[in-house]
Amino acid sequence: MARVKLLVLIVCLALFYPVRSSAYESDKLKSQVLYPNLYIKILKWSIYSVRGVAIAHHITIENTGDLAYKNIRVRIHYLSGSYSNYGTKVAVTTGILPIVVPPRSKNTYLKGGAVLGAGSSNFIPGAIEVLGATPVDP
């Protein structure tokens, strides 16, 4: 009798385990939609400014999530390039990288360059951070 009860208990646990797994997957996808900045990593980047316009090129991005993303929103932190306050944070600008990043990928984008936003030849790009992105429907 005890063996039958144990067997019934094991079968019940086995039946309910996939339900918990699918709930976890649902929460994981919801997290990837709400917080794409946790899954998109900018590994290498290059930005230069010409006549007040910032140009982004050769941006290496890794997407560790299960969703594809497009229109990556980024923030650029600029440092001063002038002698008197060299290296001091002087400006911040935001822009959109007009690319589509596939799930579970690592690639270099914008090899030809793309306009990112405002910039100055006196500013040195110091850091870039991902603010968000738009998930691509499968």
Side-chain angles (χ1 to χ4, degrees):
M1 186 65 160
R3 289 183 185 173
V4 173
K5 287 183 180 179
L6 180 62
L7 185 60
V8 169
L9 177 64
I10 290 172
V11 169
C12 287
L13 287 174
L15 290 174
F16 288 114
Y17 182 76
V19 172
R20 291 177 54 179
S21 177
S22 65
Y24 169 76
E25 290 298 321
S26 175
D27 287 346
K28 185 178 173 185
L29 285 177
K30 188 183 295 185
S31 171
Q32 291 179 39
V33 170
L34 295 175
Y35 307 106
N37 55 314
L38 299 177
Y39 302 93
I40 301 170
K41 309 291 182 217
I42 297 179
L43 305 175
K44 294 181 182 178
W45 53 281
S46 183
I47 297 173
Y48 65 93
S49 297
V50 176
R51 297 185 185 246
V53 177
I55 309 292
H57 63 96
H58 291 86
I59 310 286
T60 302
I61 297 178
E62 180 179 24
N63 179 1
T64 59
D66 298 324
L67 298 175
Y69 295 101
K70 65 180 180 179
N71 298 330
I72 313 296
R73 291 182 302 281
V74 295
R75 177 182 296 144
I76 310 299
H77 298 266
Y78 288 104
L79 307 175
S80 173
S82 67
Y83 175 76
S84 61
N85 60 349
Y86 186 85
T88 304
K89 185 176 173 182
V90 291
V92 175
T93 189
T94 58
I96 294 178
L97 301 176
I99 57 175
V100 176
V101 181
R104 304 258 174 227
S105 66
K106 178 180 172 183
N107 202 349
T108 300
Y109 301 91
L110 303 175
K111 293 177 182 173
V115 173
L116 186 61
S120 170
S121 57
N122 294 330
F123 293 168
I124 302 166
I128 187 170
E129 65 180 309
V130 175
L131 298 176
T134 304
V136 176
D137 291 331

Coordinates of all heavy atoms in Angstrom, one line a residue, residues 3 14 20 32 51 54 59 70 73-74 76 92 107-108 111 114 126 130 134:
R3 N 3.8 1.5 -1.2 CA 4.5 1.7 -2.5 C 3.5 2.3 -3.5 O 3.9 3.1 -4.4 CB 4.9 0.3 -3.0 CG 6.1 -0.2 -2.3 CD 6.5 -1.5 -2.9 NE 7.6 -2.1 -2.1 CZ 8.1 -3.3 -2.2 NH1 7.6 -4.1 -3.2 NH2 9.1 -3.7 -1.5
A14 N 5.5 14.5 -11.3 CA 5.9 14.5 -12.7 C 5.0 15.2 -13.6 O 5.4 15.9 -14.5 CB 6.1 13.1 -13.2
R20 N 5.2 24.2 -13.9 CA 6.1 25.1 -13.3 C 7.2 25.6 -14.2 O 7.6 26.8 -14.2 CB 6.7 24.5 -12.0 CG 5.8 24.2 -10.9 CD 6.4 23.5 -9.8 NE 7.5 24.2 -9.3 CZ 8.3 23.9 -8.3 NH1 7.9 22.8 -7.6 NH2 9.3 24.5 -7.9
Q32 N 12.6 39.6 -20.6 CA 13.3 40.1 -21.7 C 12.6 41.2 -22.5 O 13.3 42.0 -23.1 CB 13.6 38.9 -22.7 CG 14.5 37.9 -22.0 CD 14.8 36.7 -22.9 OE1 14.9 36.8 -24.1 NE2 14.9 35.5 -22.3
R51 N 31.3 68.0 -37.4 CA 30.4 69.2 -37.5 C 29.2 69.1 -36.6 O 28.1 69.3 -37.0 CB 30.0 69.5 -38.9 CG 31.2 69.8 -39.8 CD 30.8 70.2 -41.2 NE 31.9 70.4 -42.0 CZ 32.2 71.5 -42.6 NH1 31.5 72.6 -42.3 NH2 33.3 71.6 -43.3
A54 N 27.3 63.1 -34.2 CA 28.0 61.9 -33.7 C 27.7 60.8 -34.7 O 26.5 60.5 -35.0 CB 27.6 61.6 -32.3
I59 N 30.1 48.7 -34.1 CA 29.5 48.4 -32.7 C 29.4 46.9 -32.6 O 28.6 46.3 -33.4 CB 28.1 49.1 -32.6 CG1 28.2 50.6 -32.9 CG2 27.6 48.9 -31.2 CD1 28.9 51.5 -32.0
K70 N 15.3 45.2 -32.0 CA 15.6 46.2 -33.0 C 15.6 47.6 -32.3 O 15.1 47.8 -31.2 CB 14.5 46.2 -34.2 CG 13.1 46.6 -33.7 CD 12.2 46.6 -34.9 CE 10.8 47.0 -34.4 NZ 9.8 46.9 -35.5
R73 N 18.2 51.5 -28.1 CA 18.4 52.9 -27.6 C 19.6 52.9 -26.6 O 19.7 52.1 -25.7 CB 17.1 53.3 -26.8 CG 15.9 53.5 -27.7 CD 14.7 54.0 -27.0 NE 14.2 53.1 -25.9 CZ 13.5 52.0 -26.1 NH1 13.2 51.6 -27.3 NH2 13.1 51.2 -25.1
V74 N 20.5 53.9 -26.9 CA 21.7 54.0 -26.1 C 21.9 55.4 -25.6 O 21.4 56.4 -26.1 CB 22.9 53.6 -27.0 CG1 22.9 52.1 -27.4 CG2 23.1 54.5 -28.2
I76 N 25.2 58.0 -24.6 CA 26.6 58.2 -24.8 C 27.1 59.2 -23.7 O 26.5 60.3 -23.6 CB 27.0 58.7 -26.2 CG1 26.4 57.8 -27.3 CG2 28.5 58.8 -26.3 CD1 26.8 56.4 -27.3
V92 N 26.0 64.4 -22.2 CA 25.4 63.1 -22.4 C 24.4 63.3 -23.5 O 23.7 64.3 -23.6 CB 24.6 62.7 -21.1 CG1 23.8 61.4 -21.4 CG2 25.5 62.5 -19.9
N107 N 27.7 40.0 -32.9 CA 28.1 40.4 -34.2 C 28.5 41.9 -34.2 O 28.2 42.6 -33.2 CB 26.9 40.2 -35.2 CG 27.4 40.2 -36.6 OD1 28.5 40.4 -36.9 ND2 26.5 39.8 -37.5
T108 N 29.2 42.3 -35.2 CA 29.6 43.8 -35.3 C 28.6 44.4 -36.4 O 28.5 43.9 -37.5 CB 31.0 43.9 -35.8 OG1 31.9 43.2 -34.8 CG2 31.4 45.3 -35.9
K111 N 29.1 49.0 -39.8 CA 30.4 49.1 -40.3 C 30.6 50.3 -41.2 O 31.7 50.8 -41.3 CB 30.8 47.8 -41.0 CG 30.9 46.6 -40.1 CD 31.2 45.3 -40.8 CE 31.3 44.2 -39.8 NZ 31.4 42.9 -40.4
A114 N 26.6 55.2 -38.9 CA 25.2 55.7 -38.8 C 25.2 56.9 -37.9 O 25.9 57.0 -36.9 CB 24.3 54.6 -38.3
G126 N 33.2 58.6 -23.8 CA 33.8 57.9 -22.6 C 33.1 56.6 -22.3 O 33.7 55.6 -21.9
V130 N 23.2 50.7 -22.8 CA 21.9 50.4 -23.4 C 20.8 50.8 -22.5 O 20.8 50.4 -21.4 CB 21.9 48.9 -23.7 CG1 20.5 48.5 -24.3 CG2 23.0 48.4 -24.6
T134 N 13.4 47.5 -28.8 CA 12.1 47.0 -29.1 C 12.2 45.5 -29.5 O 12.9 45.2 -30.5 CB 11.5 47.8 -30.3 OG1 11.5 49.2 -30.0 CG2 10.1 47.4 -30.7

